Amino acid sequence: QLDSISQQINGAQRLISTNINKGVTIGGYGEITYNQPENSNGELDVQRLVLLLGYKFSDKVQFVTEIEFEHVKEVYIEQAFVNYNVAANFNVRGGLMLVPMGIVNEYHEPTTFNGTERPSVDNVIVPTTWREIGIGVNGRLPNMNLGYQAYIFNGFKSSDVNGEEGVNGILKGSNGLRSGRQKGAQSTMSSPTFAGKIDFYGIQGLRLGASGYFGKTQTDHEIETIDGSTIGITMLGLDARYNYHRFSARGQFIYASLSDTDAYNVITGNDLGSVLQGWYLEGAYNLLPQKNKQKLVAFTRYENYDTHADVAGNLVKNGSYDRTEITAGLSYHIAPGVVVKGDYQFRDNALSQDTVKDRLNFGIGVWF
Amino acid sequence: QLDSISQQINGAQRLISTNINKGVTIGGYGEITYNQPENSNGELDVQRLVLLLGYKFSDKVQFVTEIEFEHVKEVYIEQAFVNYNVAANFNVRGGLMLVPMGIVNEYHEPTTFNGTERPSVDNVIVPTTWREIGIGVNGRLPNMNLGYQAYIFNGFKSSDVNGEEGVNGILKGSNGLRSGRQKGAQSTMSSPTFAGKIDFYGIQGLRLGASGYFGKTQTDHEIETIDGSTIGITMLGLDARYNYHRFSARGQFIYASLSDTDAYNVITGNDLGSVLQGWYLEGAYNLLPQKNKQKLVAFTRYENYDTHADVAGNLVKNGSYDRTEITAGLSYHIAPGVVVKGDYQFRDNALSQDTVKDRLNFGIGVWF
Amino acid sequence: QLDSISQQINGAQRLISTNINKGVTIGGYGEITYNQPENSNGELDVQRLVLLLGYKFSDKVQFVTEIEFEHVKEVYIEQAFVNYNVAANFNVRGGLMLVPMGIVNEYHEPTTFNGTERPSVDNVIVPTTWREIGIGVNGRLPNMNLGYQAYIFNGFKSSDVNGEEGVNGILKGSNGLRSGRQKGAQSTMSSPTFAGKIDFYGIQGLRLGASGYFGKTQTDHEIETIDGSTIGITMLGLDARYNYHRFSARGQFIYASLSDTDAYNVITGNDLGSVLQGWYLEGAYNLLPQKNKQKLVAFTRYENYDTHADVAGNLVKNGSYDRTEITAGLSYHIAPGVVVKGDYQFRDNALSQDTVKDRLNFGIGVWF
């Protein structure tokens, strides 16, 4: 009876918490979107369709995988991990997993967030869907009302060999770390990285999270001694979700400090910033009576994010990377698990002459 | 007990009509084919394998998707829509859907048609599988024994930007509109199109259909004011399917009138016809007693289709686009849902020296 | 209760032997691997994730398919066949099937073999996963404790047209026939090939197999009369698997004689050997008590394989193709169907200065 938003679980967690003693569990989610920028043609897209598959080998051992089909004709395995419930509130988990940072990277099913598109902070600053192969532990400290996660992950790839020991830079100013995701696909590992998150769920309707990610980027063996082929990353995140009757709110702040970007930009010719930063706040209200199965949620979200929050060396800040977005719209939940969305995005950047188009979006989302 | 041919439903309809109250339904279909043209080498292919996935969120709301794997290593989401049963005999449906035109575009499961390959009319004139993102209504008028469908769809893309506002033509004479299908993959929308179909099922064993499709093609914003970058389409279709004891027959006629093809051909250098037209008639007889679970169906189909049924401006009709095919063969249904097919195709065109090879085909088809 | 190793069945066989009378069966397997060569960077990969889907149309007719996702973003249909149980111990089977040669090509689920990576003999000599479209029979001779398989398959493609009737060679010395697999994807067929296997299971815990594969390679019609565009293949295999309490062992010998490689190498400029040969022996011991559900298996495997075991014409043997590998490690079965693997591979070739790096491997494998 509890709907998935108030439970605040995601697809993988739902599979893991199944009552079924043994065997296969199947689910999925999908998003079909229509983006209409001002003064341009619209784009209609089956943005993603995801198959969730779980298997319970025993009381203690489960496998979970997400097979994602993007833009109709691309495929990615997005999660594939074994969870071993070693003791009460203590699990060891290994495989291709989501990095716990912010809200949407772990909770990206379309019925769990407002807006046709995910928040931009969760695309440009947190490179959602951010997943790598790793291993670690997670569980709960029930007395303290805390959930914990701590993993060793493979990291971003910042550069690769270009010809005879030349260096090709993969990361760039406009989207920060996003292009460096290796996604578990024949990924290069030169040094491990650490990711952890603490969630507090001690107050009814409230969930608070604090995340950290620490490590160096990866590169090819032939060039890893070249100064600037890799950079260091410290990313910190705070997030909050709150539900009270028909009202809900959420917010998130992400700060990432990158070291050695000066050397990186010199040898690659790229324009990677030394600080990435973004935050958003969102308020929402269900316009229908709470007893209804259907919900019609009106929401507004304010976002600011900048991949040149700071720059190192001679690099000059690019104002087009300092972005502000206001999104306002409706989420109409026809049934639990099915949502029709419509919103308008006022988009701006820090340049004197704004070059970002506002746009109208519609979407259909399902999660089962 | 009713087999799928007499029920005349397709995979998506079967999922939607499931008795199961809630939850996941899984099905699929597949075709493995062997084509042996005269005087050449054969081709063996896992032509398609399709996963059907349905989910019933409530009595009224369902999601259906088809994930298609073609030629072993390509993938396409072919259908992905939400069906909302607003009232008895009235559904609102939105997402990636099949355009209702002719028989095979909606009913393409291999056990529902005779012949290893689908009719050529349903490939060259109706660009099966023709699907786009859209929204609309469907249902039944039971007193009149009618089924109805009416949708707004995104249309074909006829051209895109080539360099600095040059126009690249996507549609061509040999296959008409086929190359213009956008398939819901980051598809461009500049104007909506309309598709509708009426089916009459008031006479036992007979099903009659009349389809219409009306609209303009889509193009990129930068070139949409250029004369000939888009064309207009009016497509009309009539189809009939009939079963009587061991005898069955089906036929179809499709006529498409395209406007502005003269301007289109001038700016793109292509040879698109102004009228596309095709039809076929097929008779079939089950050689085994009707009480048997197995069926051995002998059939013959005559097809004629022409993508240069008419041409505009200075374009000269290409006789190689005026094609005739006679297909004769057997469909051996080992069990309901499994068919082994074999047939020979006599293929001809209107050129004085026929350049189309006859061919022998074998196939294995499953639908579950 | 019998675990899958002692049952010695594979995923497809498990689907076919399901007790369920009718309907869909779903399973899968997957491997996530970490390869760390000495003096280099490691590679982390979701090597494969496979969806197994079976459907029972009736007591006698079943369909089985494997959809394989490799390296996160590639997809292949790896099996797709109909099995028709015509009589007791006699099945007719057609579609995309595994060629029965050696152990691992048919039994490649990660919990059924030791070592993070499959034996190299089963990659370079037997080009696992070796599958083509074919048709044939299989079953058992229970009085003689024999299983039999006999199939007509489409063959390897050795060459294709290069420009105006030039010949492009597909097979090469370093990996023998591997690059010639057509995998059922729009595959060219110019002549059929034959594959058969006999398995003896008359002694408790022991399974012996003898395989044969005979035929010519395929090529394009335009060049098939050119001498050397195709070659002849005779491949023979012997394999044994043995389990006794906590001890198990397996071994395999494969010999392939290729004809016309001299002409093939002359017209293509390639260096294909005339004899490919390989073998391995492996011993393993479960370190945990047999009554435990978990198993911790220590194993050692010795392999030798050479794609230039003999060469024809003027071709000089390449010592780097004559390889020896010793693999030693552990397989920790956390639960039936879930394994964590770790091993070290001492790798060598016949060149005076060894150029093959040793490596450390870890893996997670699941089969359900």
Side-chain angles (χ1 to χ4, degrees), chain C residues 55-352:
Chain C
Y55 192 81
K56 207 161 186 170
F57 294 96
S58 72
D59 283 1
K60 297 194 167 301
V61 185
Q62 282 172 282
F63 175 69
V64 171
T65 190
E66 269 196 33
I67 305 170
E68 175 151 350
F69 302 94
E70 292 187 3
H71 311 303
V72 170
K73 50 192 174 185
E74 297 169 29
V75 65
Y76 291 96
I77 303 300
E78 232 184 54
Q79 298 188 61
F81 63 83
V82 170
N83 191 73
Y84 183 12
N85 178 225
V86 178
N89 300 312
F90 181 72
N91 301 287
V92 174
R93 184 176 291 188
L96 182 66
M97 306 184 292
L98 301 175
V99 177
M101 176 63 65
I103 300 168
V104 167
N105 198 58
E106 287 190 275
Y107 302 87
H108 46 248
E109 292 78 6
T111 54
T112 68
F113 62 89
N114 290 309
T116 303
E117 300 292 333
R118 298 168 177 178
S120 295
V121 172
D122 288 313
N123 182 294
V124 179
I125 309 296
V126 180
T128 302
T129 308
W130 182 12
R131 70 277 186 183
E132 294 290 346
I133 294 174
I135 190 162
V137 299
N138 67 78
R140 295 208 155 190
L141 306 174
N143 294 336
M144 301 172 66
N145 292 310
L146 292 179
Y148 65 89
Q149 301 181 70
Y151 305 110
I152 304 291
F153 275 109
N154 191 14
F156 296 98
K157 188 162 189 180
S158 51
S159 58
D160 52 17
V161 174
N162 181 12
E164 192 69 35
E165 305 205 354
V167 177
N168 174 50
I170 295 171
L171 309 178
K172 50 184 192 269
S174 59
N175 66 359
L177 302 164
R178 186 168 187 85
S179 306
R181 295 176 301 165
Q182 301 200 73
K183 304 174 183 174
Q186 297 178 302
S187 59
T188 302
M189 167 134 172
S190 51
S191 66
T193 63
F194 173 82
K197 191 173 188 198
I198 299 286
D199 280 289
F200 173 72
Y201 53 89
I203 296 167
Q204 170 77 24
L206 179 69
R207 185 155 184 166
L208 295 174
S211 322
Y213 177 86
F214 311 96
K216 286 177 64 181
T217 57
Q218 320 294 307
T219 190
D220 290 330
H221 182 64
E222 295 83 346
I223 56 172
E224 69 185 352
T225 58
I226 296 175
D227 202 39
S229 64
T230 61
I231 62 163
I233 304 172
T234 299
M235 191 186 287
L236 301 171
L238 292 172
D239 62 78
R241 285 173 281 175
Y242 184 62
N243 294 313
Y244 182 75
H245 296 305
R246 291 155 69 178
F247 174 74
S248 64
R250 54 170 60 190
Q252 177 173 303
F253 173 79
I254 309 288
Y255 170 90
S257 167
L258 312 184
S259 63
D260 298 316
T261 57
D262 191 13
Y264 181 79
N265 289 332
V266 166
I267 63 167
T268 63
N270 287 6
D271 66 339
L272 186 63
S274 61
V275 172
L276 319 176
Q277 186 177 298
W279 62 275
Y280 65 80
L281 271 179
E282 177 188 307
Y285 191 77
N286 176 12
L287 303 175
L288 300 181
Q290 250 190 306
K291 60 175 173 48
N292 288 20
K293 280 198 174 176
Q294 294 195 335
K295 293 194 294 183
L296 179 63
V297 177
F299 76 97
T300 304
R301 183 171 66 229
Y302 181 94
E303 291 190 74
N304 178 267
Y305 58 98
D306 188 356
T307 52
H308 270 186
D310 205 356
V311 294
N314 296 321
L315 185 61
V316 176
K317 284 190 188 184
N318 185 334
S320 72
Y321 300 163
D322 180 4
R323 301 269 298 264
T324 300
E325 292 177 19
I326 300 171
T327 307
L330 294 169
S331 302
Y332 174 36
H333 296 255
I334 306 178
V338 187
V339 65
V340 176
K341 298 175 173 182
D343 55 77
Y344 197 84
Q345 296 190 291
F346 303 90
R347 306 194 295 180
D348 207 347
N349 66 26
L351 294 181
S352 55

Side-chain angles (χ1 to χ4, degrees), chain A residues 24 53-55 57 63-65 67 77 79-82, chain C residues 4 9-15 26-32 46-53 64-71 76-79 98 104-113 116 118 128-131 337-339 341 364-368:
Chain A
V24 173
L53 202 72
Y55 192 82
F57 294 95
F63 175 69
V64 170
T65 189
I67 304 170
I77 302 300
Q79 297 187 61
F81 62 82
V82 170
Chain C
S4 45
I9 63 167
N10 63 26
Q13 289 164 349
R14 190 195 270 184
L15 289 186
I26 288 177
Y29 63 90
E31 290 172 273
I32 299 168
V46 183
Q47 206 174 86
R48 53 176 57 81
L49 187 83
V50 180
L51 221 58
L52 290 155
L53 203 71
V64 171
T65 190
E66 269 196 33
I67 305 170
E68 175 151 350
F69 302 94
E70 292 187 3
H71 311 303
Y76 291 96
I77 303 300
E78 232 184 54
Q79 298 188 61
L98 301 175
V104 167
N105 198 58
E106 287 190 275
Y107 302 87
H108 46 248
E109 292 78 6
T111 54
T112 68
F113 62 89
T116 303
R118 298 168 177 178
T128 302
T129 308
W130 182 12
R131 70 277 186 183
V338 187
V339 65
K341 298 175 173 182
I364 299 172
V366 294
W367 179 29
F368 54 90

Side-chain angles (χ1 to χ4, degrees), chain B residues 1-17:
Chain B
Q1 280 120 313
L2 293 172
D3 71 77
S4 44
I5 293 181
S6 62
Q7 287 188 321
Q8 293 172 327
I9 63 166
N10 63 25
Q13 289 163 348
R14 190 195 271 183
L15 289 187
I16 285 182
S17 63

Side-chain angles (χ1 to χ4, degrees), chain B residues 26 32 39 41-42 44-46 72, chain C residues 77 80 184 186-187 189 219 221:
Chain B
I26 288 176
I32 299 168
N39 298 320
N41 285 347
L44 279 157
D45 191 26
V46 183
V72 171
Chain C
I77 303 300
Q186 297 178 302
S187 59
M189 167 134 172
T219 190
H221 182 64

Side-chain angles (χ1 to χ4, degrees), chain A residues 173-194:
Chain A
S174 59
N175 67 358
L177 301 164
R178 187 170 186 83
S179 306
R181 295 176 300 165
Q182 300 200 74
K183 304 172 183 175
Q186 297 179 300
S187 59
T188 302
M189 168 134 171
S190 51
S191 66
T193 63
F194 172 81

